[in-house]
Amino acid sequence: MEAVKLTCTTCGQANRIPRDRLAQGPKCGSCGEPLANGRVHELDQLSHDKAVRGDELPLLVDYWAPWCGPCRAMAPEFAKAAGALAPAVRFAKLNTQDHPEIAGRARIQGIPALVLYHRGREIARLAGARPAAQIADFVRQNLAGRG
């Protein structure tokens, strides 16, 4: 049975989940938080770095800031896309105001910025606020043909 590695965005613990159980709402073995539930998870430096580098499911990160109007306007659309693509893709947000060093390392030059990661690599990025359908299409198009 194939298992995928997922980082808990709450405690940073690495978890191995059987792929065929992803839709059953797996929880972190350490803290009990849901791992692939279709919700947008808030990242800090530790969880960002571990998830980006180690997760075996695609991860779409929204780099945003609370003072950014387009970022706030896109938040509900980002959440809709997260629900639509779960459990195959995880969605997360990183507040660039609180974590400017991560934004710098990720080469974020404007927000909102969506960066799609898969198996430790950046796959694609998309700038600007988008509706849920465009976000989901962006993810699907960039993951087509990847295992």
Side-chain angles (χ1 to χ4, degrees), residues 10-23:
T10 300
C11 73
Q13 178 67 40
N15 293 265
R16 284 233 168 256
I17 308 296
R19 187 174 291 279
D20 63 354
R21 295 194 61 218
L22 286 172

Side-chain angles (χ1 to χ4, degrees), residues 4-132:
V4 294
K5 181 179 164 188
L6 297 177
T7 301
C8 178
T9 57
T10 300
C11 73
Q13 178 67 40
N15 293 265
R16 284 233 168 256
I17 308 296
R19 187 174 291 279
D20 63 354
R21 295 194 61 218
L22 286 172
Q24 298 172 4
K27 294 184 179 183
C28 176
S30 180
C31 73
E33 285 295 311
L35 295 171
N37 60 354
R39 293 199 175 148
V40 177
H41 299 273
E42 188 70 37
L43 299 176
D44 61 17
Q45 182 170 349
L46 175 67
S47 59
H48 174 275
D49 291 349
K50 281 184 145 186
V52 164
R53 291 183 188 136
D55 275 15
E56 294 172 348
L57 275 186
L59 174 69
L60 184 64
V61 179
D62 173 15
Y63 295 89
W64 74 289
W67 50 261
C68 170
C71 297
R72 290 191 319 271
M74 186 179 72
E77 295 299 306
F78 192 71
K80 281 184 208 170
L85 294 177
V89 180
R90 296 204 310 166
F91 281 57
K93 297 175 85 60
L94 182 102
N95 182 334
T96 59
Q97 180 176 306
D98 291 347
H99 303 285
E101 67 287 350
I102 297 173
R105 278 192 285 132
R107 300 176 329 276
I108 302 302
Q109 297 180 355
I111 55 174
L114 304 179
V115 180
L116 181 61
Y117 298 96
H118 191 210
R119 294 188 173 133
R121 298 189 141 161
E122 178 180 326
I123 301 301
R125 58 177 60 209
L126 183 66
R130 308 294 171 126

Side-chain angles (χ1 to χ4, degrees), residues 124-146:
R125 58 177 60 209
L126 183 66
R130 308 294 171 126
Q134 283 183 13
I135 295 168
D137 286 346
F138 163 76
V139 171
R140 286 186 194 107
Q141 289 168 4
N142 284 287
L143 291 177
R146 295 183 184 268

